[in-house]
């Protein structure tokens, strides 16, 4: 099975809850979802989405998963080393995430526009257009949205949400939703 679209998610509950970005899901009414974890594929059901926060929760029929430890973005500083975990170009289809590292480049950054002529509803603003995002220079390729941005203690301090690249160009800037009260 090779997906047409792909993204990343984070296990947040032993009973199979997976956190990702809402924009990763595409058209929920016309899509089916699979989650790979522990070397196994699971059918996933959407439990809820929040386009304003760009968050979504999926549920898989699994138990005894190891959820990620949530940190707190409140204490982040520019220059702090971070690791981004994700599924670039769907290479992690067997549940083995890829990692890249970088630093916190800035805090309280605004999200860029997401033009999508095929779906004008996707052009709407989110909370992150008002300056809530963590900026990192960790490499975020296509497919890493919805992955964990972790500190050196292994705590998730952000959920990667976008990269600042135009088609055909690489830019060393990516963004993550901070683990704060709104995300929790």
């Amino acid at each position: 099975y090779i997906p047409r679209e792909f993204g990343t998610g984070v296990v947040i509950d032993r009973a199979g809850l997976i956190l990702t970005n809402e924009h990763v899901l595409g058209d929920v009414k016309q899509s089916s979802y699979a989650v790979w974890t522990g070397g196994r594929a699971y059918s996933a059901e959407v439990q809820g989405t929040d386009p304003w926060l760009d968050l979504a929760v999926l549920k898989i029929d699994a138990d005894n998963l190891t959820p990620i430890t949530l940190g707190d973005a409140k204490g982040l500083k520019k220059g702090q080393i971070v690791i981004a975990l994700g599924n670039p170009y769907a290479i992690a289809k067997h549940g083995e995430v890829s990692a890249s590292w970088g630093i916190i480049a800035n805090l309280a950054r605004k999200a860029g526009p997401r033009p999508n002529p095929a779906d004008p509803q996707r052009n709407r603003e989110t909370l992150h257009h008002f300056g809530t995002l963590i900026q990192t220079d960790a490499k975020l390729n296509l497919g890493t949205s919805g992955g964990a941005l972790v500190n050196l203690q292994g705590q998730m301090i952000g959920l990667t949400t976008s990269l600042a690249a135009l088609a055909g160009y690489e830019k060393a800037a990516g963004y993550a939703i901070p683990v704060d009260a709104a995300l929790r």
Side-chain angles (χ1 to χ4, degrees), residues 22-23 50-54 111-112 114 122-133 161 177:
E22 186 269 345
H23 78 263
D50 188 335
W52 177 245
L53 296 175
D54 192 21
R114 290 195 184 158
R122 290 246 174 246
N123 295 336
R124 68 187 177 277
E125 283 187 336
T126 69
L127 173 67
H128 312 301
H129 287 95
F130 297 97
T132 62
L133 298 175
T161 187
I177 300 168

Side-chain angles (χ1 to χ4, degrees), residues 137-160:
D137 71 347
K139 184 97 168 149
L140 300 180
N141 290 309
L142 184 64
T144 56
S145 285
L149 186 68
V150 298
N151 61 22
L152 294 181
Q153 289 74 44
Q155 301 166 328
M156 184 171 117
I157 47 91
L159 184 74
T160 58

Side-chain angles (χ1 to χ4, degrees), residues 2-70:
I2 298 175
R4 284 191 320 237
E5 304 277 337
F6 49 91
T8 305
V10 179
V11 175
I12 57 168
D13 179 80
R14 294 179 64 79
L17 293 179
I18 312 296
L19 178 67
T20 191
N21 293 124
E22 186 269 345
H23 78 263
V24 168
L25 299 182
D27 186 348
V28 174
K29 294 177 182 166
Q30 298 200 6
S31 299
S32 60
Y33 303 99
V35 171
W36 283 267
T37 185
R40 182 173 167 200
Y42 295 88
S43 178
E45 296 291 325
V46 176
Q47 296 298 292
T49 65
D50 188 335
W52 177 245
L53 296 175
D54 192 21
L55 296 175
V57 176
L58 301 172
K59 172 83 168 104
I60 62 174
D61 189 21
D63 56 13
N64 207 22
L65 297 174
T66 304
I68 196 158
T69 302
L70 297 179

